[in-house]
Amino acid sequence: MNTLLTGASGFVGKNLSAYLLSEGMSITEVTRQSAGNNAITWEDIRQNVTDKTAYDVYIHLAGKAHDLKNVSAPEEYFLINTELTKQLFKHFLSSGAKDFIYFSSVKAAADAVDNILDEELVPNPQTPYGLSKLRAEEYLLSQPLPTDKRLVILRPCMIHGPGNKGNLNLLYGFIKRGIPYPLAAFDNRRSFLGIDNLLFVIREIIRNKDIPSGIYNVADDEGLSTKQLVKLIARAMNRSARVWYIPKGLLIAMAKIGDIGRLPLNSHRLQKLTESYMVSNGKLKRVLKVDRLPFSVEEGLSNTIKSFG
Ligand SMILES: NC(=O)c1ccc[n+]([C@@H]2O[C@H](COP(=O)([O-])OP(=O)(O)OC[C@H]3O[C@@H](n4cnc5c(N)ncnc54)[C@H](OP(=O)(O)O)[C@@H]3O)[C@@H](O)[C@H]2O)c1
């Protein structure tokens, strides 16, 4: 089994390469630099010069990540997330490979979630990241797919794993410095995805040809509130969690003052820190024919946090 893998140098790519190799699969990377052993370049893809019979599975991870500070030019997202996907999919369609696994994101569906995000929701992303991922999905789905090929679009939520805290960084830093979490009065709920669950999902998709083409959310089984997350991180660091229950009304009033006075806490920031974002993995588990993913949200997060010593 040979996999053509883009984005192999990234966080998911490094973990996935090591995992697939340990499972006895071979990998050819698509890189921006010069091709070497077991590597070809994006120029090779564009020029269509590679051996089309060499690969069984294409896994497309390369992408421009969600920029939380919003400093990147919007066009960059479309050039990388949408256009590279088109180039690679054209290559796939003219190849002998059977499977194309595309890494989209839950952000292609929604920036905010009221109840629980499933695949039925009509996508309405607002950020260039989400829009560029959605455009890529739309392109893939618009191309006629030969009956002997599969197209699996994965929409992961925030992924974390040893060596990469995702956006847990901020909380981790606060807890490390003993700074209390002041928003414990809010009971939000968010989904996470531990890298080990993601690796399991990819392995099952590659192995089980009965899993049909389609769009699948990927998330751990349970969610956590930020307050629970703070406690879990503190436990994994062998520290006691410091959480403050400041009345919600008071915090909302302080945030409103922050809107006028440009203070660190304003309404937008408060909303971001306390919003829920729950993702259903029900569709994925139905096709995988499992009741649960192998690792609980607590196990995954503890492993990640402990990896930072
Ligand atoms: N991490 C998450 O929480 C998360 C959640 C949902 C979806 N995803 C998606 O999953 C995929 C992998 O995520 P990740 O966290 O592993 O990302 P990452 O660590 O930022 O790695 C991104 C990869 O894309 C490559 N890349 C970036 N710009 C490129 C360009 N212009 N041309 C070719 N390659 C380029 C990078 O190659 P270089 O080393 O050459 O820069 C790197 O290998 C991404 O598509 C991401 O959008 C991630």
Side-chain angles (χ1 to χ4, degrees), residues 6-13 30-33 42 60-66 80-81 84 102-106 129 133 155-160 164 166:
T6 75
S9 60
F11 159 54
V12 176
V30 183
T31 69
R32 285 200 262 185
Q33 294 79 31
W42 276 99
H60 181 33
L61 294 171
K64 181 167 172 53
H66 195 28
I80 300 171
N81 294 341
L84 287 185
Y102 173 54
F103 267 68
S104 180
S105 164
V106 285
Y129 175 72
K133 290 283 188 186
R155 286 183 181 161
C157 63
M158 190 207 79
I159 310 165
H160 62 85
N164 189 310

Side-chain angles (χ1 to χ4, degrees), residues 27 30 38 66 131 147 170 252 298:
I27 292 170
V30 183
N38 298 326
H66 195 28
L131 280 163
T147 49
L170 188 69
I252 292 167
E298 287 89 357

Side-chain angles (χ1 to χ4, degrees), residues 151-309:
L151 166 61
V152 175
I153 296 174
L154 298 179
R155 286 183 181 161
C157 63
M158 190 207 79
I159 310 165
H160 62 85
N164 189 310
K165 294 192 265 321
N167 58 15
L168 304 174
N169 237 336
L170 188 69
L171 282 180
Y172 179 84
F174 273 34
I175 296 163
K176 201 171 177 189
R177 278 178 278 151
I179 299 172
Y181 175 68
L183 308 177
F186 290 85
D187 239 339
N188 62 333
R189 217 155 177 83
R190 299 188 70 88
S191 289
F192 301 88
L193 175 58
I195 188 81
D196 290 325
N197 276 340
L198 176 62
L199 297 177
F200 165 80
V201 166
I202 297 171
R203 187 191 67 177
E204 292 303 299
I205 292 170
I206 293 175
R207 281 187 176 173
N208 182 352
K209 302 297 175 195
D210 291 337
I211 294 173
S213 293
I215 296 178
Y216 298 97
N217 289 343
V218 198
D220 292 339
D221 291 325
E222 308 90 3
L224 289 179
S225 68
T226 311
K227 180 177 50 187
Q228 288 173 313
L229 179 62
V230 167
K231 290 181 179 172
L232 191 148
I233 294 176
R235 215 168 33 245
M237 292 165 77
N238 282 327
R239 289 177 178 248
S240 52
R242 300 184 65 201
V243 293
W244 283 352
Y245 288 82
I246 301 173
K248 280 185 197 174
L250 181 60
L251 286 164
I252 292 167
M254 281 163 65
K256 282 192 179 142
I257 298 170
D259 293 343
I260 307 161
R262 293 190 169 192
L263 299 175
L265 185 67
N266 56 37
S267 298
H268 176 70
R269 199 162 281 165
L270 182 63
Q271 195 245 327
K272 283 280 148 209
L273 286 168
T274 56
E275 71 185 359
S276 292
Y277 199 110
M278 278 301 291
V279 178
S280 162
N281 64 7
K283 181 180 176 190
L284 181 66
K285 286 197 294 194
R286 279 194 294 281
V287 296
L288 294 177
K289 296 194 167 54
V290 294
D291 293 330
R292 297 187 56 77
L293 293 184
F295 301 92
S296 69
V297 64
E298 287 89 357
E299 284 170 314
L301 284 163
S302 295
N303 285 343
T304 296
I305 299 302
K306 282 180 182 157
S307 76
F308 290 93

Side-chain angles (χ1 to χ4, degrees), residues 66-73 77 127-128 268:
H66 195 28
D67 166 18
L68 298 170
K69 291 186 182 142
N70 275 335
V71 289
S72 306
Y77 290 96
T127 65
H268 176 70

Side-chain angles (χ1 to χ4, degrees), residues 52-53 55-58 92 95-99 148-150:
K52 298 289 190 55
T53 60
Y55 316 112
D56 305 290
V57 181
Y58 284 42
F92 166 73
S95 77
K98 299 294 181 216
D99 297 325
D148 63 340
K149 288 189 190 281
R150 262 192 321 173

